[in-house]
Amino acid sequence: MSSTALKKLFSRPESLKPNMTHYCPGCGHSVAHRLVAELLDEMGLREKTIGVAPVGCAVLAYNYFNFDMVEAPHGRALAVATGIKRVHPDKFVLTYQGDGDLAAIGTAETIHAANRGEKISTIFINNAIYGMTGGQMAPTTTVGLVATTTPGGRDPDRDGAPIDISQMLAVCQRTVYIERCALTSVKNIQKAKRAIKKSFLVQLNNLGFSLVELLSPCPTNWKMNPSDAWKWTESILTKTYPLGVIKDTSGLGDVR
Amino acid sequence: MPSEKMLMRGAHVVGEAAVRAGCRYYFGYPITPQNELPEYLSSRLLEVGGTFIQAESEIASINMVIGASVSGGRVMTSSSSPGISLKQEGISYLCGQELPAVIVNMMRGGPGLGNIAPSQADYFQATRGGGHGDYRLLVLAPASNQELAEVTFDAFDLADKYRNPVMILGDGLMGQMMEPVIFRDPIDPKELPPKDYILDGCKGREPRAVFSMLLDPPTLYQHNMKLQKKYEEITAREVRYETYQVNDAELILVAYGTASRIAKGAVNRLRREGFRVGLFRPVTLWPYPKEALRTLARGGAKIGVFELSVGQMVEDVLMSVGSTSEVYLHGIPGGPIPTPADVAQFALSVLKGDGLVGRKVEI
Ligand SMILES: Cc1ncc(C[n+]2csc(CCOP(=O)(O)OP(=O)(O)O)c2C)c(N)n1
Ligand code: SF4
């Protein structure tokens, strides 16, 4: 008896289209896409998911995600998602947003959707910079970080302090679950996957708003190679944005 | 069966007609003078199992409209001038993504905070854009409560038919006015034809993406040309207007909405005194009833434009009649509302050629 059958150990999730992404080498967006797609497959959600793409480097997310998607104006993803969820309360609604999108132009939409307790899961990619437009300062840019619009490094007196959106949202009564993870080591990526899964479960259990912040490397605009960008994310960015659960009133316990 | 005749406020008429037309989603932010509309819908939509959200801003509300529309719901938002300015970004996206929605603007005086008196100063914004890009809205300008009910009902059908936002353009006076109205039979939104572009999860079909970013220049070009074709089709099919006493008129007043009611009063007054004056009232401001006005102008009558803005619609009139007729303008910015007697004076001044009220305008 011949046993030539091969066992498949790793493959592209169905929730990802077989398209090459435009993301730079070492960018966190591609890792985050993969995590979201794996989970939607594993949880059997692909066919009931409606995703909202942001403006920013992930603006083309609908070219990569293999489920229903709409593109929102810059920052308004959570308002668009609110309209979707109110029409389809039984569907799974996801926004995927960068820091410029979610924490600058869309601050109001973000805070108020969270405060209404919209039953939506938000993936928040914090790379401390505006990637798509070429490396300008973001509200999350850390003190001293050089961006194209902070030539001498971010100066709080001139540019304001880095904004911690997750902490701000935790104060809103109707947010249920907020966790900050980092897309760096394998261990951290696995942690991020568990956090995203929990956020999905919060929505599936109709509990309210949840957000997972992912500290994410932007090697291109930080002007680092991918491995230095990983290291910088883990050792420096986490000083301004410490990792961990920021709020959890879900009662769901540990998610595996 | 059609409803009994009811005495209602204009803003409530819009709300009731919207619900009867199958609207189940409303998102808005308060601004005078249109608050009676969201207030009405906040309870009325509950009765029919719909959704009302008082959003944190006009920007959020128009984006909720995008979300509800792309999900297949019949959806409406409303505001007044400064709020409509904030909605322009979302309106441009709705047009780019070809999503239907009904947007009500009960205009007030501007620019800036201006005042809450009736005004027609957002004519350019409504008919020319206001948001970015090459797009058009269907703009409906009713002049009575009965017509408010009709156009609100039609607005949802037109929006769906062309996958384009439709604006109902009124003003504070129209929203507050009490007049009798008979509504059409309500429809059940569940019985509307299915839409093949909406997002509801990709079960049993290929995933869909709705977006307006078209980086490849030829692709954006083609998309825009497709939109232009749609706008041409709307222009050919959806023009609406009313004429009143125009057949033998030496002077045709052109006015819409609230201004047209005042102008009609002036026409009646002048007719009693033996003057041959008529009224042309556009109901669609875009597409503008150019052909109809041009044909009338060929009869040789002078044209007198009366608008509650200092000279916006008059440009469409000039583009319609060219040099066929002499065109005069009596344009008043938000503030004191002229009476029929004032407009009659303008008409007489044009007939006599004394130049005392209004002014002659040329291309
Ligand atoms: C109304 C509006 N303003 C500005 C822009 C330009 N813009 C596009 S992406 C972007 C920043 C995005 O940064 P972020 O959300 O952090 O995403 P990243 O590119 O870093 O992934 C800006 C300012 C826009 N598209 N729309
Ligand atoms: S610019 Fe930065 S965020 Fe954008 S794709 Fe490249 S690495 Fe990623």
PDB file of all heavy atoms in Angstrom, chain A residues 29 55-58 74 98-102 105 127 129-133, chain B residues 89 93, ligand 1:
ATOM      1  N   HIS A  29       0.432  45.361   8.186  1.00  0.00           N
ATOM      2  CA  HIS A  29      -0.892  45.185   7.568  1.00  0.00           C
ATOM      3  C   HIS A  29      -1.081  43.765   7.030  1.00  0.00           C
ATOM      4  O   HIS A  29      -2.143  43.171   7.187  1.00  0.00           O
ATOM      5  CB  HIS A  29      -1.081  46.172   6.410  1.00  0.00           C
ATOM      6  CG  HIS A  29      -1.552  47.540   6.837  1.00  0.00           C
ATOM      7  ND1 HIS A  29      -2.695  47.733   7.579  1.00  0.00           N
ATOM      8  CD2 HIS A  29      -1.032  48.776   6.624  1.00  0.00           C
ATOM      9  CE1 HIS A  29      -2.873  49.033   7.796  1.00  0.00           C
ATOM     10  NE2 HIS A  29      -1.869  49.698   7.239  1.00  0.00           N
ATOM     11  N   VAL A  55      -9.269  54.571   4.786  1.00  0.00           N
ATOM     12  CA  VAL A  55      -8.352  55.263   3.897  1.00  0.00           C
ATOM     13  C   VAL A  55      -6.992  55.210   4.584  1.00  0.00           C
ATOM     14  O   VAL A  55      -6.887  55.372   5.779  1.00  0.00           O
ATOM     15  CB  VAL A  55      -8.824  56.710   3.659  1.00  0.00           C
ATOM     16  CG1 VAL A  55      -7.734  57.529   3.019  1.00  0.00           C
ATOM     17  CG2 VAL A  55     -10.069  56.699   2.798  1.00  0.00           C
ATOM     18  N   GLY A  56      -5.965  54.930   3.821  1.00  0.00           N
ATOM     19  CA  GLY A  56      -4.637  54.678   4.387  1.00  0.00           C
ATOM     20  C   GLY A  56      -4.065  53.525   3.593  1.00  0.00           C
ATOM     21  O   GLY A  56      -4.614  53.138   2.559  1.00  0.00           O
ATOM     22  N   CYS A  57      -2.972  52.952   4.086  1.00  0.00           N
ATOM     23  CA  CYS A  57      -2.346  51.890   3.289  1.00  0.00           C
ATOM     24  C   CYS A  57      -3.285  50.711   3.059  1.00  0.00           C
ATOM     25  O   CYS A  57      -3.128  49.979   2.086  1.00  0.00           O
ATOM     26  CB  CYS A  57      -1.051  51.438   3.946  1.00  0.00           C
ATOM     27  SG  CYS A  57       0.304  52.560   3.531  1.00  0.00           S
ATOM     28  N   ALA A  58      -4.278  50.511   3.942  1.00  0.00           N
ATOM     29  CA  ALA A  58      -5.194  49.372   3.777  1.00  0.00           C
ATOM     30  C   ALA A  58      -6.411  49.723   2.932  1.00  0.00           C
ATOM     31  O   ALA A  58      -7.384  48.969   2.906  1.00  0.00           O
ATOM     32  CB  ALA A  58      -5.626  48.854   5.139  1.00  0.00           C
ATOM     33  N   HIS A  74     -12.341  58.811   4.574  1.00  0.00           N
ATOM     34  CA  HIS A  74     -11.261  58.830   5.574  1.00  0.00           C
ATOM     35  C   HIS A  74     -11.806  59.073   6.990  1.00  0.00           C
ATOM     36  O   HIS A  74     -12.367  60.139   7.277  1.00  0.00           O
ATOM     37  CB  HIS A  74     -10.290  59.947   5.187  1.00  0.00           C
ATOM     38  CG  HIS A  74      -8.976  59.919   5.898  1.00  0.00           C
ATOM     39  ND1 HIS A  74      -8.419  58.780   6.427  1.00  0.00           N
ATOM     40  CD2 HIS A  74      -8.086  60.914   6.145  1.00  0.00           C
ATOM     41  CE1 HIS A  74      -7.250  59.066   6.971  1.00  0.00           C
ATOM     42  NE2 HIS A  74      -7.020  60.366   6.823  1.00  0.00           N
ATOM     43  N   GLY A  98      -6.440  52.424  10.222  1.00  0.00           N
ATOM     44  CA  GLY A  98      -5.145  52.887  10.705  1.00  0.00           C
ATOM     45  C   GLY A  98      -5.301  53.999  11.727  1.00  0.00           C
ATOM     46  O   GLY A  98      -6.412  54.442  12.022  1.00  0.00           O
ATOM     47  N   ASP A  99      -4.160  54.466  12.252  1.00  0.00           N
ATOM     48  CA  ASP A  99      -4.231  55.488  13.305  1.00  0.00           C
ATOM     49  C   ASP A  99      -4.640  56.844  12.753  1.00  0.00           C
ATOM     50  O   ASP A  99      -5.350  57.594  13.423  1.00  0.00           O
ATOM     51  CB  ASP A  99      -2.900  55.579  14.072  1.00  0.00           C
ATOM     52  CG  ASP A  99      -1.700  55.582  13.141  1.00  0.00           C
ATOM     53  OD1 ASP A  99      -1.463  56.606  12.489  1.00  0.00           O
ATOM     54  OD2 ASP A  99      -1.016  54.547  13.056  1.00  0.00           O
ATOM     55  N   GLY A 100      -4.200  57.164  11.527  1.00  0.00           N
ATOM     56  CA  GLY A 100      -4.654  58.426  10.939  1.00  0.00           C
ATOM     57  C   GLY A 100      -6.152  58.391  10.742  1.00  0.00           C
ATOM     58  O   GLY A 100      -6.869  59.350  11.021  1.00  0.00           O
ATOM     59  N   ASP A 101      -6.625  57.257  10.281  1.00  0.00           N
ATOM     60  CA  ASP A 101      -8.051  57.081   9.998  1.00  0.00           C
ATOM     61  C   ASP A 101      -8.876  57.133  11.288  1.00  0.00           C
ATOM     62  O   ASP A 101      -9.823  57.910  11.409  1.00  0.00           O
ATOM     63  CB  ASP A 101      -8.227  55.713   9.318  1.00  0.00           C
ATOM     64  CG  ASP A 101      -9.561  55.562   8.627  1.00  0.00           C
ATOM     65  OD1 ASP A 101      -9.720  56.130   7.541  1.00  0.00           O
ATOM     66  OD2 ASP A 101     -10.429  54.887   9.183  1.00  0.00           O
ATOM     67  N   LEU A 102      -8.487  56.337  12.247  1.00  0.00           N
ATOM     68  CA  LEU A 102      -9.329  56.121  13.427  1.00  0.00           C
ATOM     69  C   LEU A 102      -9.076  57.146  14.542  1.00  0.00           C
ATOM     70  O   LEU A 102      -9.987  57.491  15.291  1.00  0.00           O
ATOM     71  CB  LEU A 102      -9.085  54.697  13.942  1.00  0.00           C
ATOM     72  CG  LEU A 102      -9.860  54.194  15.150  1.00  0.00           C
ATOM     73  CD1 LEU A 102     -10.221  52.735  14.973  1.00  0.00           C
ATOM     74  CD2 LEU A 102      -9.069  54.373  16.441  1.00  0.00           C
ATOM     75  N   ILE A 105      -8.711  62.052  11.872  1.00  0.00           N
ATOM     76  CA  ILE A 105      -9.900  62.584  11.191  1.00  0.00           C
ATOM     77  C   ILE A 105     -11.188  61.906  11.687  1.00  0.00           C
ATOM     78  O   ILE A 105     -12.247  62.514  11.702  1.00  0.00           O
ATOM     79  CB  ILE A 105      -9.717  62.457   9.660  1.00  0.00           C
ATOM     80  CG1 ILE A 105     -10.793  63.219   8.885  1.00  0.00           C
ATOM     81  CG2 ILE A 105      -9.654  61.007   9.209  1.00  0.00           C
ATOM     82  CD1 ILE A 105     -10.500  63.334   7.394  1.00  0.00           C
ATOM     83  N   ASN A 127       0.556  52.304  13.622  1.00  0.00           N
ATOM     84  CA  ASN A 127       1.969  52.286  13.238  1.00  0.00           C
ATOM     85  C   ASN A 127       2.618  53.651  13.473  1.00  0.00           C
ATOM     86  O   ASN A 127       3.685  53.943  12.939  1.00  0.00           O
ATOM     87  CB  ASN A 127       2.156  51.811  11.793  1.00  0.00           C
ATOM     88  CG  ASN A 127       1.351  52.646  10.803  1.00  0.00           C
ATOM     89  OD1 ASN A 127       0.915  53.745  11.145  1.00  0.00           O
ATOM     90  ND2 ASN A 127       1.167  52.144   9.603  1.00  0.00           N
ATOM     91  N   ILE A 129       2.290  56.498  12.429  1.00  0.00           N
ATOM     92  CA  ILE A 129       2.667  57.354  11.295  1.00  0.00           C
ATOM     93  C   ILE A 129       1.582  57.270  10.212  1.00  0.00           C
ATOM     94  O   ILE A 129       0.763  56.352  10.244  1.00  0.00           O
ATOM     95  CB  ILE A 129       4.041  56.898  10.720  1.00  0.00           C
ATOM     96  CG1 ILE A 129       4.765  58.039   9.993  1.00  0.00           C
ATOM     97  CG2 ILE A 129       3.915  55.676   9.790  1.00  0.00           C
ATOM     98  CD1 ILE A 129       6.137  58.283  10.475  1.00  0.00           C
ATOM     99  N   TYR A 130       1.571  58.226   9.326  1.00  0.00           N
ATOM    100  CA  TYR A 130       0.717  58.120   8.138  1.00  0.00           C
ATOM    101  C   TYR A 130       1.538  57.409   7.075  1.00  0.00           C
ATOM    102  O   TYR A 130       2.487  57.974   6.528  1.00  0.00           O
ATOM    103  CB  TYR A 130       0.324  59.503   7.613  1.00  0.00           C
ATOM    104  CG  TYR A 130      -0.691  60.250   8.438  1.00  0.00           C
ATOM    105  CD1 TYR A 130      -1.147  59.744   9.657  1.00  0.00           C
ATOM    106  CD2 TYR A 130      -1.206  61.462   7.999  1.00  0.00           C
ATOM    107  CE1 TYR A 130      -2.095  60.428  10.405  1.00  0.00           C
ATOM    108  CE2 TYR A 130      -2.147  62.167   8.749  1.00  0.00           C
ATOM    109  CZ  TYR A 130      -2.579  61.643   9.950  1.00  0.00           C
ATOM    110  OH  TYR A 130      -3.497  62.324  10.682  1.00  0.00           O
ATOM    111  N   GLY A 131       1.183  56.172   6.798  1.00  0.00           N
ATOM    112  CA  GLY A 131       1.943  55.413   5.820  1.00  0.00           C
ATOM    113  C   GLY A 131       1.650  55.859   4.406  1.00  0.00           C
ATOM    114  O   GLY A 131       2.532  56.288   3.663  1.00  0.00           O
ATOM    115  N   MET A 132       0.396  55.811   4.044  1.00  0.00           N
ATOM    116  CA  MET A 132       0.025  55.986   2.644  1.00  0.00           C
ATOM    117  C   MET A 132       0.439  57.327   2.059  1.00  0.00           C
ATOM    118  O   MET A 132       0.850  57.417   0.912  1.00  0.00           O
ATOM    119  CB  MET A 132      -1.475  55.819   2.489  1.00  0.00           C
ATOM    120  CG  MET A 132      -1.893  55.766   1.039  1.00  0.00           C
ATOM    121  SD  MET A 132      -3.628  56.043   0.871  1.00  0.00           S
ATOM    122  CE  MET A 132      -3.965  55.069  -0.565  1.00  0.00           C
ATOM    123  N   THR A 133       0.320  58.374   2.883  1.00  0.00           N
ATOM    124  CA  THR A 133       0.606  59.701   2.323  1.00  0.00           C
ATOM    125  C   THR A 133       2.087  60.065   2.435  1.00  0.00           C
ATOM    126  O   THR A 133       2.466  61.188   2.153  1.00  0.00           O
ATOM    127  CB  THR A 133      -0.262  60.769   3.012  1.00  0.00           C
ATOM    128  OG1 THR A 133      -0.281  60.506   4.424  1.00  0.00           O
ATOM    129  CG2 THR A 133      -1.678  60.750   2.487  1.00  0.00           C
TER     130      THR A 133
ATOM    131  N   GLU B  89     -19.012  65.746   1.863  1.00  0.00           N
ATOM    132  CA  GLU B  89     -18.034  64.681   1.627  1.00  0.00           C
ATOM    133  C   GLU B  89     -18.765  63.356   1.371  1.00  0.00           C
ATOM    134  O   GLU B  89     -18.506  62.654   0.395  1.00  0.00           O
ATOM    135  CB  GLU B  89     -17.115  64.546   2.844  1.00  0.00           C
ATOM    136  CG  GLU B  89     -16.099  63.416   2.712  1.00  0.00           C
ATOM    137  CD  GLU B  89     -15.490  63.009   4.055  1.00  0.00           C
ATOM    138  OE1 GLU B  89     -16.243  62.770   5.020  1.00  0.00           O
ATOM    139  OE2 GLU B  89     -14.258  62.910   4.133  1.00  0.00           O
ATOM    140  N   TYR B  93     -19.231  60.766  -1.954  1.00  0.00           N
ATOM    141  CA  TYR B  93     -18.961  59.315  -1.918  1.00  0.00           C
ATOM    142  C   TYR B  93     -20.195  58.523  -2.359  1.00  0.00           C
ATOM    143  O   TYR B  93     -20.078  57.529  -3.076  1.00  0.00           O
ATOM    144  CB  TYR B  93     -18.532  58.877  -0.510  1.00  0.00           C
ATOM    145  CG  TYR B  93     -17.055  59.049  -0.249  1.00  0.00           C
ATOM    146  CD1 TYR B  93     -16.508  60.308  -0.017  1.00  0.00           C
ATOM    147  CD2 TYR B  93     -16.200  57.952  -0.237  1.00  0.00           C
ATOM    148  CE1 TYR B  93     -15.145  60.467   0.218  1.00  0.00           C
ATOM    149  CE2 TYR B  93     -14.836  58.110   0.003  1.00  0.00           C
ATOM    150  CZ  TYR B  93     -14.323  59.358   0.232  1.00  0.00           C
ATOM    151  OH  TYR B  93     -12.977  59.515   0.461  1.00  0.00           O
TER     152      TYR B  93
HETATM  153  C1  LIG C   1     -10.563  63.643   3.705  1.00  0.00           C
HETATM  154  C2  LIG C   1      -9.205  63.101   3.465  1.00  0.00           C
HETATM  155  N1  LIG C   1      -8.139  63.740   3.993  1.00  0.00           N
HETATM  156  C3  LIG C   1      -6.895  63.270   3.765  1.00  0.00           C
HETATM  157  C4  LIG C   1      -6.709  62.149   3.008  1.00  0.00           C
HETATM  158  C5  LIG C   1      -5.295  61.685   2.736  1.00  0.00           C
HETATM  159  N2  LIG C   1      -4.889  60.506   3.477  1.00  0.00           N
HETATM  160  C6  LIG C   1      -4.954  59.280   2.931  1.00  0.00           C
HETATM  161  S1  LIG C   1      -4.370  58.088   3.921  1.00  0.00           S
HETATM  162  C7  LIG C   1      -3.979  59.198   5.130  1.00  0.00           C
HETATM  163  C8  LIG C   1      -3.303  58.761   6.389  1.00  0.00           C
HETATM  164  C9  LIG C   1      -3.555  57.361   6.713  1.00  0.00           C
HETATM  165  O1  LIG C   1      -2.817  56.998   7.806  1.00  0.00           O
HETATM  166  P1  LIG C   1      -3.213  55.779   8.676  1.00  0.00           P
HETATM  167  O2  LIG C   1      -4.665  55.757   8.916  1.00  0.00           O
HETATM  168  O3  LIG C   1      -2.346  55.820   9.878  1.00  0.00           O
HETATM  169  O4  LIG C   1      -2.919  54.502   7.759  1.00  0.00           O
HETATM  170  P2  LIG C   1      -1.540  53.909   7.226  1.00  0.00           P
HETATM  171  O5  LIG C   1      -1.372  54.447   5.847  1.00  0.00           O
HETATM  172  O6  LIG C   1      -0.444  54.307   8.161  1.00  0.00           O
HETATM  173  O7  LIG C   1      -1.771  52.437   7.216  1.00  0.00           O
HETATM  174  C10 LIG C   1      -4.316  60.488   4.736  1.00  0.00           C
HETATM  175  C11 LIG C   1      -4.057  61.681   5.555  1.00  0.00           C
HETATM  176  C12 LIG C   1      -7.851  61.522   2.471  1.00  0.00           C
HETATM  177  N3  LIG C   1      -7.771  60.421   1.711  1.00  0.00           N
HETATM  178  N4  LIG C   1      -9.085  62.012   2.726  1.00  0.00           N
END
